[in-house]
Amino acid sequence: MTTDVLIVGAGPTGLTLACDLARRGVGVRIIDKSAAHPRSSRAKGPNLRSLEVLASLGVADEVLASGSLPLPMRKYRDHVPVADFDPYADPAPVPASAFDWPRLIAQWRLEEILRDRLAKDGVQVELGTELTGLDQHATGVTATLAGGGTVTARYVVGCDGAHSPVRKLLGIPFAGETQADQVMVCGDVEIDENALDRGIWHQWFDATGAVMLCPIPGTGSGWWFQAGPERDGAGVPQPPTEEGFRRLLTRHTGLPGEVLRHATLLSTYRVNVRMADRFRDGRVLLAGDAAHVHSIAGGMGMNTGVQDAFNLGWKLAHVLTGLAAPALLDTYEEERLPVAAWTLDFTSERLAETMAAIRRPGGGLDSATAPEASGLSTGYRWSSLAAGAPESGPRSGDRAPDAPCRSVATGAPVRLHHLFAEPHPTLLGFGPKSEEILGEAVRTYGDAVRAHRVYGAEEVRAPDEEPGARAGVTDHEGLVRAAYEPGADGTVVVVRPDHHVGLVAPAAEPARVREYLALLCGGGEASAPRG
């Protein structure tokens, strides 16, 4: 059997990539060796940037409805509450976004939502399907499956976790360290209904260990349980058990162990800080934990994987549909490997801050929070796709700011990121002089681009504008102009399909826009497949 892209691993990273490719009309298969969909609650939910990605895929509303706002944290010392703190009560100013808060949602529920979205494009996760071999050739990759079957794909993406068989088959080193002394036992537990306030993330710390209990949204009595492990007489961490969880609960919280009725998905977590030395080997690529793992401090694990997938999806699609040359895929590693390296450093710093904080009464997991964890400041200014640096406003490679505006055609409210959600490059034109290059882009590339003239509140829509050729929005509050700071003589902004600024150019320099669109989209509608 053949396909355009074979994705190995059906966690949030693989599902995000599959959804993004399928909505672009790319043939995709996604396999997972698990016999059934895992009911994992490991990741606690999307940050602001991942919410934008999920909105682009059309599932953000369902995620918001299934999750909850971040909870205030209550810190205890020797069984006694000593401090309440809500790290999101007064959020720091962030680049314009439709989302003010990250969300708590069980990973299994997020995966359900993404699988349902993928099914709308006719794709199902193929369970019980294990990859055992890879053979690259001139036009694709032949993947061997357990049992002797094969799949031929033009590209393969390993989203198969920290122990990635794909990475191992490629022989890609996964350098770093495992911090064996930093161990935590985890699981999902059922707690008696009246034992704890479900509006609080409870955190008990003392000289001998810790227990942390956070309510799982969408459940009546489910909690995420995290704790320092039990140890034997020699200080060796012991495997997690339900009875062990009850003992830890009583020891550190003072609650009777019987209030913990049931425990599932028990696991031991050790801090691993590792990264692949490359994210691409010919026609095989790595994303998510297959490419990088790090401390859970700051909640960056799943989010970094989701954002890997969103960076890669449009590039694979443009190559496979002939809009761009295969060399575009080189920019995936060029952009995401430095982000992964930064994430390893950032989360290690957050972990050190947290470990120091919990030694003090009143210290807790809020020490792991930081503005950078929102993901909104992540950009690619160093990338070969970042075309120059304007004197003001967002620079090439930055995440494109969101802002409210109104449709010229209907007067209905719309946000810029709603315009960016379609899987195409988007042109924003400021000032009358931008209109000619917007029209030229639409005539050249047709449905491969979207173009939007941004009118100031005082401007009148041009009466001869071709219906359907390019859309118009009114910056009725002036927030679009404030975010992008266009020049007085007109500006054209090219936004990549992953919501990052590609080019900011004066309207008087249309050649720069033509050159950049050729880089992203080739020569126009007549381009032939080259991937």
Side-chain angles (χ1 to χ4, degrees), residues 95-183:
S97 174
F99 303 100
D100 294 329
W101 314 91
R103 287 304 191 274
L104 292 174
I105 183 172
Q107 183 173 319
W108 58 263
R109 178 60 186 134
L110 176 61
E111 290 175 359
E112 283 181 345
I113 292 169
L114 289 170
R115 287 197 300 269
D116 289 346
R117 172 65 182 87
L118 186 58
K120 292 179 180 178
D121 284 312
V123 181
Q124 301 283 342
V125 175
E126 300 173 40
L127 293 169
T129 307
E130 183 177 1
L131 179 82
T132 58
L134 291 170
D135 179 27
Q136 297 200 54
H137 40 86
T139 58
V141 185
T142 299
T144 304
L145 307 177
T150 62
V151 177
T152 299
R154 292 167 71 183
Y155 291 91
V156 172
V157 185
C159 304
D160 47 348
H163 300 290
S164 169
V166 171
R167 187 188 66 241
K168 292 174 181 177
L169 286 167
L170 295 173
I172 294 178
F174 202 45
E177 61 179 359
T178 299
Q179 299 175 9
D181 59 324
Q182 295 181 344
V183 183

Side-chain angles (χ1 to χ4, degrees), residues 390-392 427-438 452-456 458-459 481 484-494 503-513:
E391 294 182 0
S392 61
L427 283 75
L428 301 178
F430 297 86
K433 293 181 181 179
S434 71
E435 292 174 12
E436 183 176 348
I437 190 63
L438 296 186
H452 298 273
R453 170 76 159 86
V454 181
Y455 292 91
E458 73 287 352
E459 287 187 274
R481 189 168 294 272
Y484 286 85
E485 300 183 39
D489 293 330
T491 297
V492 176
V493 179
V494 181
L503 172 72
V504 181
E509 299 180 19
R512 292 181 60 194
V513 179

Side-chain angles (χ1 to χ4, degrees), residues 69-73 85-92 100-102 201 298 369-370 373-374:
L69 291 170
L71 298 175
M73 301 178 184
F85 181 69
D86 185 351
Y88 298 102
D90 298 303
D100 294 329
W101 314 91
W201 186 346
T369 62
S374 73

Side-chain angles (χ1 to χ4, degrees), residues 35 86 90 93 111 131-132 194 213 249 297 299 333 407 428 432 464 477 486 490:
D86 185 351
D90 298 303
E111 290 175 359
L131 179 82
T132 58
N194 297 319
L213 281 168
L249 184 73
E333 178 181 300
S407 166
L428 301 178
D464 59 347
E477 296 182 56

Side-chain angles (χ1 to χ4, degrees), residues 105-332:
I105 183 172
Q107 183 173 319
W108 58 263
R109 178 60 186 134
L110 176 61
E111 290 175 359
E112 283 181 345
I113 292 169
L114 289 170
R115 287 197 300 269
D116 289 346
R117 172 65 182 87
L118 186 58
K120 292 179 180 178
D121 284 312
V123 181
Q124 301 283 342
V125 175
E126 300 173 40
L127 293 169
T129 307
E130 183 177 1
L131 179 82
T132 58
L134 291 170
D135 179 27
Q136 297 200 54
H137 40 86
T139 58
V141 185
T142 299
T144 304
L145 307 177
T150 62
V151 177
T152 299
R154 292 167 71 183
Y155 291 91
V156 172
V157 185
C159 304
D160 47 348
H163 300 290
S164 169
V166 171
R167 187 188 66 241
K168 292 174 181 177
L169 286 167
L170 295 173
I172 294 178
F174 202 45
E177 61 179 359
T178 299
Q179 299 175 9
D181 59 324
Q182 295 181 344
V183 183
M184 183 168 61
V185 291
C186 311
D188 288 7
V189 301
E190 296 287 328
I191 299 286
D192 282 349
E193 185 174 345
N194 297 319
L196 289 168
D197 183 347
R198 287 186 60 83
I200 298 290
W201 186 346
H202 302 270
Q203 302 169 15
W204 291 267
F205 302 102
D206 55 44
T208 62
V211 164
M212 291 153 281
L213 281 168
C214 181
I216 302 174
T219 68
S221 56
W223 296 75
W224 285 300
F225 182 102
Q226 298 168 292
E230 294 187 298
R231 296 177 183 268
D232 65 14
V236 176
Q238 298 301 292
T241 64
E242 185 171 308
E243 280 305 312
F245 276 17
R246 291 192 179 97
R247 289 191 293 268
L248 288 167
L249 184 73
T250 298
R251 180 184 310 151
H252 296 295
T253 74
L255 292 169
E258 296 75 32
V259 302
L260 194 158
R261 298 198 305 266
H262 187 52
T264 60
L265 304 174
L266 308 185
S267 64
T268 298
Y269 169 79
R270 288 177 173 83
V271 175
N272 281 291
V273 182
R274 297 181 181 275
M275 188 172 76
D277 69 356
R278 61 189 187 278
F279 291 1
R280 182 185 180 193
D281 186 320
R283 290 178 173 268
V284 184
L285 302 103
L286 302 174
D289 286 356
H292 44 75
V293 293
H294 45 78
S295 160
I296 60 175
M300 301 291 283
M302 179 195 75
N303 289 293
T304 305
V306 164
Q307 291 154 38
D308 283 349
F310 202 58
N311 181 285
L312 178 58
W314 71 272
K315 296 173 181 178
L316 276 170
H318 276 217
V319 169
L320 287 163
T321 57
L323 288 174
L328 179 65
L329 293 178
D330 292 336
T331 67
Y332 168 64

